[in-house]
Amino acid sequence: MTATSTSPGDAVSKRRVAILISGRGSNMAALIEAAAEDGFPAEIAVVISNTASAGGLAIAQRSGIETLVIESKPFGKDRAGFEAVLQAALEQRKIELICLGGFMRLFTAEFVNRWHGRMLNIHPSLLPSFPGLDPHGQALRAGVKISGATVHFVIAETDAGPIVMQGAVPVHDDDTADGLAARVLAVEHRIYPKALELVASGRTRFEGDLCKSTSNGVDDQVLIVPA
Ligand code: GAR
């Protein structure tokens, strides 16, 4: 028998990831770019969209990533029917982790439980504040001075679950929802790859309902707004 040795980052030791999208896929693109780096502990095995019109599909194809469209519309309210097809596609590709990147379809509790601890989402607010639709409008209406983005494990409740990583940005008095969204999006693109790296390399653990991690350190800079 031939002995083979592997080190972190070797192709064989990379976690196989599926990214699920419904739209432009800018977070997907950030994950693909990060995963292309030497030593990244995950590989993007497939990008799956629930609509053929998702702009992100072309980006993934240009990067040489397999893409798959599983139209959810024909399933209507039959979430389980859609998820059965999705689950088969994931199993066929031996997917170990799912990253949701603007995937605009709710899952059944059964699907979420099946992927417990193995499915990540990103949401453009500092959860648990402002889950759901229009998070930036919610933040502006609440008058918060700091907002941001959250990467979390998915649980049955929408935009909730153990938080892996957050990034914060200032909110300006004259911000529009679009302006704030752009500032937060830049942070999303930084933290999602970092969070996936933490999870895929086994540096996160659960303590009750919380996610703790062994990261390389904490940036203890303080953000005070207005300065
Ligand atoms: C991102 O801002 C993401 O945080 C948000 O959808 C956008 C998708 O953009 N997700 C949610 O609101 C989830 N509740 P992208 O397709 O360019 O990554």
Side-chain angles (χ1 to χ4, degrees):
M1 199 169 108
T2 319
T4 53
S5 82
T6 58
S7 58
D10 280 356
V12 285
S13 65
K14 288 175 185 272
R15 303 276 74 77
R16 290 180 61 76
V17 173
I19 305 177
L20 271 53
I21 63 168
S22 301
R24 71 187 159 183
S26 71
N27 278 291
M28 172 212 73
L31 292 172
I32 290 174
E33 192 182 328
E37 295 288 322
D38 277 351
F40 196 83
E43 65 173 303
I44 312 305
V46 65
V47 168
I48 302 177
S49 174
N50 67 322
T51 163
S53 62
L57 288 168
I59 301 172
Q61 281 156 9
R62 279 202 295 277
S63 306
I65 310 278
E66 185 198 359
T67 60
L68 188 62
V69 175
I70 306 173
E71 289 282 359
S72 56
K73 215 169 186 177
F75 289 94
K77 291 201 171 89
D78 179 16
R79 291 189 198 289
F82 169 75
E83 289 165 1
V85 179
L86 176 61
Q87 179 64 26
L90 296 168
E91 280 174 14
Q92 202 181 11
R93 291 163 181 79
K94 298 189 167 32
I95 297 303
E96 301 168 275
L97 287 170
I98 295 174
C99 288
L100 305 180
F103 186 70
M104 294 305 177
R105 179 151 178 118
L106 298 175
F107 291 115
T108 62
E110 194 192 11
F111 186 85
V112 169
N113 291 338
R114 175 178 276 163
W115 285 92
H116 179 77
R118 299 184 296 146
M119 179 155 57
L120 294 171
N121 181 42
I122 188 157
H123 182 75
S125 74
L126 292 175
L127 293 173
S129 291
F130 319 133
L133 297 177
D134 191 23
H136 305 300
Q138 292 186 58
L140 294 178
R141 285 191 291 278
V144 295
K145 305 304 178 208
I146 294 172
S147 191
T150 303
V151 179
H152 63 97
F153 283 102
V154 176
I155 60 170
E157 196 182 328
T158 305
D159 296 328
I163 292 171
V164 179
M165 194 175 283
Q166 293 185 304
V169 301
V171 179
H172 304 314
D173 282 349
D174 58 355
D175 259 338
T176 60
D178 285 350
L180 179 57
R183 199 173 312 117
V184 170
L185 192 64
V187 170
E188 294 185 47
H189 297 164
R190 286 176 62 185
I191 65 171
Y192 212 171
K194 291 282 175 211
L196 175 59
E197 189 175 6
L198 271 185
V199 171
S201 61
R203 285 184 287 152
T204 52
R205 64 186 185 282
F206 289 111
E207 285 182 14
D209 290 339
L210 306 182
C211 173
K212 302 284 176 78
S213 62
T214 326
S215 72
N216 293 332
V218 175
D219 180 351
D220 61 1
Q221 212 180 343
V222 177
L223 179 62
I224 297 174
V225 184

